[in-house]
Amino acid sequence: MSEIQALLDALTALPRTRPAGPEEAEELLARLRSAAARWADVLYEAHEGVRQQLPPRAEASLTLAFRRAEESYVELEIALKDCTEHPDPAI
């Protein structure tokens, strides 16, 4: 469960204010992407650990939760790539 603590630490360390500019926004996206990856890892490990013990709908729900977490990571990766390719938000 140290991965959960690492995720909680990463989330609590996120700034509580809006980014002051594109660089801070990119940094926030990078930190959110990292947290999303950790959350997907936690869900994957939980799924692997309990899937044999769950009823079919519960197992399907956990699978779906993992897929959505993985999709969140991918979307944040795309957003971060866009920021690095287009550093000027006016473009």
Side-chain angles (χ1 to χ4, degrees), residues 1-2 10 13 18 26 32 37-38 41 54 60 75 78 86-87 89:
M1 290 295 154
S2 64
R18 290 183 183 195
E26 187 175 333
L32 288 170
R38 285 181 172 171
D41 288 345
L54 296 175
E75 291 299 332
I78 291 167
H86 303 96

Side-chain angles (χ1 to χ4, degrees), residues 1-74:
M1 290 295 154
S2 64
E3 189 64 29
I4 293 174
Q5 187 58 52
L7 173 61
L8 290 172
D9 292 343
L11 292 173
T12 56
L14 290 173
R16 302 283 192 252
T17 58
R18 290 183 183 195
E23 289 176 6
E24 285 185 18
E26 187 175 333
E27 174 64 26
L28 177 60
L29 284 175
R31 292 170 71 182
L32 288 170
R33 179 194 57 183
S34 177
R38 285 181 172 171
W39 179 236
D41 288 345
V42 167
L43 289 173
Y44 178 81
E45 289 174 16
H47 179 260
E48 289 299 306
V50 300
R51 71 181 177 158
Q52 302 291 339
Q53 303 161 7
L54 296 175
R57 286 188 302 206
E59 195 272 333
S61 293
L62 189 53
T63 298
L64 184 58
F66 164 70
R67 287 182 185 160
R68 287 180 176 163
E70 199 172 42
E71 287 172 2
S72 293
Y73 168 79
V74 170

